[in-house]
Amino acid sequence: MGGISHSAVLARLRSEIGVTQAALATEAGLDQSRVSRIEKGEVSSEAEVEKVLDALTALGSPQARAYKEFIGRAWENIAPPSFFNPQRACLEIADEALRDIDTFLADESRPWPLRRQIERHKDTLIKGANYLQKMNHNIAFIGPIGVGKSTGLSFLFDLLVPPTLASKPIDRPVLETGAGGTTICEVHIKRGPEFGISLLPMSETELRDLVADFCASRWAVLKGELKESADNAGVSREHDRAIRNMSGLTRRRSTENGKIVYFDPVSDLVASCASEDEFRTRVLELMKLPERTQRELWYDSVTRQHPMEWVMKTFREVNNGRLADVSLPTSIDLIIPEFGRSFGELEINVIDTKGVDDVAVREDLDLRLKDPRTAVVFCTRFNDAPGVTTRSLLQHMHDTYSEPVNTGKVSILALPRTEEARAMKDDAGEVAMDDAEGYAFKQMQVENELAAEDLAGVPMVFYNVQSDDAAPVRGALFDQLNRMRSTVEARLFDLCAAADEVMKNHEAQALTAAMEEVAERLNSFLDAHPALPARERHAYTEALTTIGGVRYAATLWAATRRNGEYSGFNIIHNIGVGAAKDARQRSDRWFSSLKDYIAVMKGDEGLQLAEKTISQMEQSAIATRTAFLEAVQRAGMEVYRGPLSSASIWSQCAAEWGAGPGFKGRVAGNLKTWFEDRADLKDKLEEITNVLWDQLVIAPMRRLVAENAPEAGLGGNVIPFPTKAA
């Protein structure tokens, strides 16, 4: 038991049965002060800890005996998990399985088909165990701007000021809310020791690019080069507001002859400058960037504010660029003591992503969709559900990397307003009797729509912040995380069973014969289906298609000024997505044929002894496909990033702005010509894609089914191409 800190666990076990330290001390035969010091971590005597655990058992603690066994356990292959880890029993079994596997593999006389399978089981077991051993997870809320996402999660997680500090309930959220376009960047809410705000500032390059956009757009309009329009080139509302606040160039309102008149100091500044460069320089000077070095802000009780009121007001100051020593953030952390305790043992960070205002398939959202530790909640208006953004991203997951939608990874949160649910009608045209029935009608409608698009199985919850209880919705999100973990847990149990089957029956001639037969058949399949089918469409086609669908031409304008890499629309990222989509389409038939081939083997009575192994081979193939598609996406980005970043095409594209209607079409045409002229890049990506196929799909399968197959290259980037600088 040495080296393990028991203080928090012992205090919790005592608290759970409602026993005082004095009563526990009496039962354990110790002084109360001794028990107190043990619970504070000041004493770690093994003998005394055992006495306390025995006393807790005698006093009725259901877990004290289990904890005594837990701390006496020797973990050989997995780092000891928390005693309260929901998957602790599974991890114990996995640790034992890994020990048995090492013993089995130590005997080099084992037949090669058995060794290969067990080696593969070991690698997958370790990865799964490492996933379950950790208790931290993210819940990322994604949705279009103005949908009520920030308001919804504020009420869901009690991120609210006290009712007495708000004139009406809807004004209580700590996160800044409004009619959309209010949050300047991604916001993370996490647990911490004190109330505070921490931020990651924009890089100097990113900030100067943003100011350059602001200045270029204002210069063009105010110098009469362009007329002001709803789709005028420029920065987002949030960034426009923050830049004006940071530079002291906020519009001022006055009343003249009974009419409200707005004065824009930017107009005077432009008039006083001889060039756009001078205008930009003066704005940057007014922002006093060298003085903006503050990264952390902490609540001080001397302010006499309620802590949540302080968080709300300080967040608004940071979010709007109103603090003289704080720069523009690229992400903001709200640190709240005891946050996420309703999720039990899991450590939860909630992420309020920047609202989708145009292109949904953004690089920042893609990272959340791919992160195995992040559950994604698609937010939508009730009447619009499932919503354009939700559909786009679900289809993206399906088409780009074959992500299942029914494993807890994603859910839909519909945010109804008062009376919307009761306006729903059934098939007979009768309106809903109450909100619950309206929710049921809407859920059936959404389920049918998604099933028609091959996206069935996405859980859906509803939450009206003005009338619904938040607890059931939080419970649904907790269930979503549990499904994610349970999916991995079930995989580990299957792996342990498959490995155990091989190891227990390794001396049986019939098992070895069955395994050799499976290997021979799969080897024949690989011989007959070795190559990746021909390319179906170029990777850059995805970027050109997305350009055509961009809602705001200003989004595309900003991308052209950054060599294609803009947070609102990253053309390089879209090329990667296009490469992965093509790779998925090309590999569909291969994996479908393999699935059918494996199904035939499962149904073969002569191979029943190897049934679990055959199932694990199928799971391994699914894993190789995921790795292949992700690697192809990276390859697509890296092949094109260097040449595009230095290409003169971007200045040509940016110059198309202001030449009249059709900006998006002209940019797409220019880029299409550039892409078609660079056949060398198409060929290079095709070469890398085929090498990735051989190394990430074929080689691992060969390793399983061919005695003399070389070690499969499964780690990291198997193709040496430059990566984007951090």
Side-chain angles (χ1 to χ4, degrees):
M1 287 192 289
I4 298 177
S5 176
H6 310 291
S7 55
V9 177
L10 295 179
R12 173 171 169 175
L13 296 181
R14 178 181 61 77
S15 177
E16 286 177 347
I17 59 174
V19 170
T20 64
Q21 284 185 346
L24 178 58
T26 299
E27 181 68 31
L30 299 170
D31 290 337
Q32 181 179 342
S33 62
R34 202 67 179 169
V35 171
S36 176
R37 292 185 65 192
I38 290 172
E39 291 189 357
K40 290 178 181 177
E42 297 173 359
V43 175
S44 58
S45 164
E46 292 186 17
E48 289 180 326
V49 168
E50 283 199 17
K51 285 183 178 181
V52 170
L53 286 171
D54 290 340
L56 285 168
T57 301
L59 290 169
S61 171
Q63 299 195 80
R65 187 183 301 279
Y67 183 65
K68 186 175 179 180
E69 295 173 357
F70 171 75
I71 60 180
R73 177 187 180 84
W75 292 83
E76 299 178 12
N77 298 279
I78 299 172
S82 162
F83 174 69
F84 299 105
N85 187 309
Q87 282 74 38
R88 176 168 56 83
C90 175
L91 290 170
E92 290 178 356
I93 292 172
D95 189 64
E96 293 169 1
L98 287 167
R99 181 195 61 208
D100 294 341
I101 285 173
D102 283 342
T103 301
F104 182 86
L105 293 175
D107 186 346
E108 296 184 0
S109 67
R110 309 295 190 197
W112 75 263
L114 308 188
R115 290 184 62 85
R116 291 289 169 79
Q117 291 301 324
I118 293 299
E119 288 169 354
R120 182 71 180 186
H121 292 345
K122 178 180 179 179
D123 291 341
T124 312
L125 266 173
I126 290 173
K127 291 177 183 176
N130 288 339
Y131 177 90
L132 293 178
Q133 195 269 346
K134 300 173 184 175
M135 306 269 278
N136 60 302
H137 287 276
N138 303 314
I139 305 177
F141 289 75
I142 295 175
I145 64 169
V147 77
K149 173 166 56 72
S150 299
T151 301
L153 72 86
S154 292
F155 277 90
L156 270 177
F157 296 100
D158 200 26
L159 297 170
L160 308 167
V161 299
T164 55
L165 297 176
S167 58
K168 49 187 177 180
I170 204 66
D171 294 331
R172 294 180 61 200
V174 163
L175 296 174
E176 188 165 6
T177 59
T182 55
T183 306
I184 201 166
C185 62
E186 189 170 270
V187 180
H188 308 159
I189 305 100
K190 56 183 62 177
R191 187 184 309 165
E194 302 175 43
F195 289 92
I197 293 178
S198 175
L199 62 97
L200 178 66
M202 282 187 180
S203 68
E204 183 176 349
T205 299
E206 188 178 7
L207 181 53
R208 288 181 179 275
D209 284 345
L210 190 67
V211 173
D213 286 350
F214 171 83
C215 292
S217 62
R218 301 320 302 157
W219 183 267
V221 169
L222 295 171
K223 285 295 184 178
E225 297 173 18
L226 288 174
K227 291 184 178 180
E228 188 84 61
S229 70
D231 196 26
N232 189 62
V235 300
S236 67
R237 284 174 287 173
E238 311 96 293
H239 285 139
D240 182 280
R241 186 168 57 240
I243 290 171
R244 287 176 177 274
N245 280 321
M246 292 170 70
S247 59
L249 296 171
T250 53
R251 299 179 184 91
R252 295 194 290 274
R253 185 176 67 177
S254 62
T255 303
E256 296 180 6
N257 301 322
K259 294 183 179 180
I260 297 176
V261 178
Y262 286 92
F263 167 69
D264 188 352
V266 170
S267 301
D268 284 351
L269 186 58
V270 167
S272 69
C273 293
S275 67
E276 182 185 324
D277 288 343
E278 181 187 350
F279 172 44
R280 181 174 64 254
T281 300
R282 291 181 62 181
V283 171
L284 288 167
E285 288 174 348
L286 289 169
M287 293 175 75
K288 300 178 180 178
L289 298 180
E291 299 176 15
R292 297 179 178 276
T293 58
Q294 187 67 261
R295 303 289 182 264
E296 294 183 351
L297 304 156
W298 297 98
Y299 169 70
D300 190 337
S301 59
V302 300
T303 63
R304 296 184 178 276
Q305 290 179 302
H306 186 280
M308 294 301 277
E309 181 186 17
W310 176 88
V311 173
M312 179 184 72
K313 290 182 176 179
T314 307
F315 175 72
R316 279 160 172 70
E317 296 293 295
V318 172
N319 189 53
N320 289 283
R322 292 197 295 252
L323 294 180
D325 57 352
V326 174
S327 186
L328 269 179
T330 191
S331 68
I332 301 173
D333 291 351
L334 301 188
I335 302 165
I336 311 292
E338 302 302 307
F339 180 75
R341 287 295 185 191
S342 59
F343 283 79
E345 311 307 330
L346 301 182
E347 182 180 338
I348 301 302
N349 292 337
V350 169
I351 300 170
D352 185 11
T353 62
K354 190 166 171 54
V356 176
D357 193 24
D358 200 337
V359 178
V361 183
R362 296 193 323 231
E363 187 173 16
D364 61 319
L365 301 184
D366 216 9
L367 290 174
R368 300 302 175 192
L369 293 172
K370 287 186 175 181
D371 180 10
R373 307 205 70 81
T374 298
V376 170
V377 181
F378 293 118
C379 300
T380 175
R381 291 185 180 91
F382 179 84
N383 288 338
D384 297 340
V388 174
T389 296
T390 301
R391 272 196 172 93
S392 296
L393 290 174
L394 285 174
Q395 199 65 54
H396 165 63
M397 294 171 70
H398 180 271
D399 292 347
T400 308
Y401 42 93
S402 305
E403 177 69 33
V405 296
N406 59 353
T407 61
K409 176 64 183 178
V410 296
S411 66
I412 296 173
L413 173 63
L415 297 162
R417 298 175 183 176
T418 304
E419 302 300 328
E420 285 184 341
R422 299 189 187 204
M424 290 293 296
K425 295 181 180 181
D426 64 12
D427 292 340
E430 298 293 330
V431 296
M433 299 287 291
D434 53 26
D435 285 353
E437 189 171 38
Y439 294 166
F441 291 167
K442 173 60 74 172
Q443 183 161 351
M444 285 188 288
Q445 174 189 321
V446 170
E447 286 175 349
N448 289 336
E449 290 179 13
L450 292 180
E453 298 172 26
D454 198 22
L455 297 171
V458 183
M460 187 172 186
V461 288
F462 301 86
Y463 182 49
N464 184 329
V465 300
Q466 295 184 321
S467 59
D468 289 341
D469 182 8
V473 183
R474 284 197 302 270
L477 298 180
F478 183 64
D479 290 344
Q480 184 177 350
L481 290 172
N482 274 339
R483 281 197 301 277
M484 289 175 64
R485 294 180 67 88
S486 295
T487 299
V488 178
E489 182 181 36
R491 175 87 167 105
L492 288 194
F493 279 131
D494 289 344
L495 279 165
C496 291
D500 187 62
E501 179 182 68
V502 171
M503 291 185 292
K504 281 186 176 177
N505 299 293
H506 70 272
E507 294 182 352
Q509 185 78 23
L511 174 63
T512 302
M515 297 284 278
E516 288 176 344
E517 175 67 17
V518 169
E520 184 177 341
R521 292 196 193 182
L522 280 176
N523 210 23
S524 297
F525 175 86
L526 295 175
D527 286 342
H529 306 80
L532 183 67
R535 179 171 56 206
E536 297 195 6
R537 73 172 195 163
H538 296 298
Y540 60 75
T541 303
E542 181 73 15
L544 297 177
T545 302
T546 304
I547 287 173
V550 167
R551 181 180 178 186
Y552 301 115
T555 302
L556 179 59
W557 174 77
T560 62
R561 289 168 57 85
R562 290 166 173 76
N563 293 348
E565 297 194 75
Y566 173 54
S567 59
F569 175 30
N570 189 328
I571 292 172
I572 308 298
H573 176 252
N574 270 262
I575 292 173
V577 169
K581 276 190 175 182
D582 174 63
R584 183 189 186 279
Q585 292 172 356
R586 295 164 68 176
S587 61
D588 269 349
R589 182 174 299 176
W590 191 95
F591 281 102
S592 178
S593 298
L594 176 64
K595 184 177 180 179
D596 293 342
Y597 203 82
I598 287 176
V600 171
M601 287 195 292
K602 283 182 177 180
D604 190 328
E605 292 186 4
L607 301 178
Q608 287 300 300
L609 283 174
E611 181 182 5
K612 287 186 173 63
T613 294
I614 295 171
S615 295
Q616 292 308 314
M617 285 181 169
E618 184 175 23
Q619 291 297 319
S620 294
I622 293 172
T624 64
R625 184 182 202 187
T626 300
F628 167 64
L629 296 178
E630 290 185 356
V632 170
Q633 180 168 343
R634 289 196 304 271
M637 294 173 66
E638 299 308 332
V639 164
Y640 279 89
R641 174 178 275 124
L644 270 175
S645 66
S646 59
S648 60
I649 186 66
W650 296 115
S651 57
Q652 179 184 343
C653 288
E656 297 287 357
W657 183 265
F663 171 69
K664 292 186 290 185
R666 292 193 296 275
V667 170
N670 291 338
L671 285 172
K672 183 179 181 182
T673 299
W674 187 91
F675 285 130
E676 290 176 346
D677 287 344
R678 292 303 305 266
D680 59 317
L681 299 181
K682 293 181 285 187
D683 294 343
K684 182 177 182 181
L685 178 56
E686 180 65 10
E687 177 188 357
I688 291 175
T689 299
N690 281 290
V691 172
L692 289 170
W693 173 258
D694 289 339
Q695 294 195 357
L696 294 176
V697 178
I698 301 300
M701 293 294 290
R702 288 283 189 198
R703 177 75 180 162
L704 285 175
V705 302
E707 183 175 4
N708 298 317
E711 190 71 42
L714 290 173
N717 286 341
V718 294
I719 300 298
F721 44 72
T723 56
K724 183 179 180 181

